[in-house]
Amino acid sequence: MDDAKWERYGALAGVLFVVMLVVSGTMTGSPPDLDDSGREITKWIADHDTALRLSSFIGTLGIVPGLWWLGSLWRAMRRAEGGQPRLAVAAVLGLAFGGALVTVSSVISAALSVGFR
C-alpha cells in the first residue's frame, strides 16, 4: 500500500476515535452534582450501572483507533518538522497523559457500577 492510503486510514481512525469517545462520554447522561447527597449519587450509579459499564467498554475500544491515529499524526508532524519532532513529542505526551486520566476515571466509574450489580 502507498503512504497516501495509510494516511487516509489514519485520518479515518481519528474520526472513529473521536466518535467513540463522544458516544462513551455522553451515553450515561449528566452525572449528579457534587453537592448531591450520597444517597442520590448512589441511586444514580445504580440506575446507570449498565450504561457506565458500556461507556467504559466503548471508551476502551476507542484506544485502538486512537493509537492508529496517533501514529499517523506522529509521522505527519515529524515530517513537517524536518525530522526534529518537538511538537510531535508534545502531542504524544499530551495524548498519553490525557488518556491515562480518562482511563483512571473510566475504571473508577466502572468499578462503582459493578458494585451495584
Side-chain angles (χ1 to χ4, degrees):
M1 282 191 185
D2 58 12
D3 280 347
K5 193 169 204 172
W6 286 109
E7 287 177 10
R8 283 193 301 272
Y9 288 152
L12 181 62
V15 170
L16 182 61
F17 172 64
V18 169
V19 167
M20 291 177 84
L21 288 185
V22 167
V23 167
S24 174
T26 59
M27 69 186 311
T28 59
S30 61
D33 293 328
L34 291 175
D35 60 350
D36 285 346
S37 70
R39 185 178 305 272
E40 290 172 332
I41 293 172
T42 303
K43 182 179 178 341
W44 184 86
I45 292 171
D47 291 345
H48 294 87
D49 65 331
T50 303
L52 286 167
R53 284 194 305 274
L54 187 58
S55 171
S56 295
F57 180 72
I58 291 172
T60 301
L61 284 180
I63 291 171
V64 174
L67 289 175
W68 187 270
W69 169 76
L70 182 62
S72 298
L73 178 66
W74 171 271
R75 185 172 173 147
M77 289 179 76
R78 184 176 172 135
R79 188 174 38 228
E81 291 178 309
Q84 300 295 324
R86 286 190 180 110
L87 291 176
V89 169
V92 168
L93 290 176
L95 187 64
F97 183 69
L101 293 176
V102 167
T103 301
V104 168
S105 172
S106 178
V107 166
I108 290 170
S109 295
L112 285 173
S113 67
V114 167
F116 287 97
R117 192 149 219 248

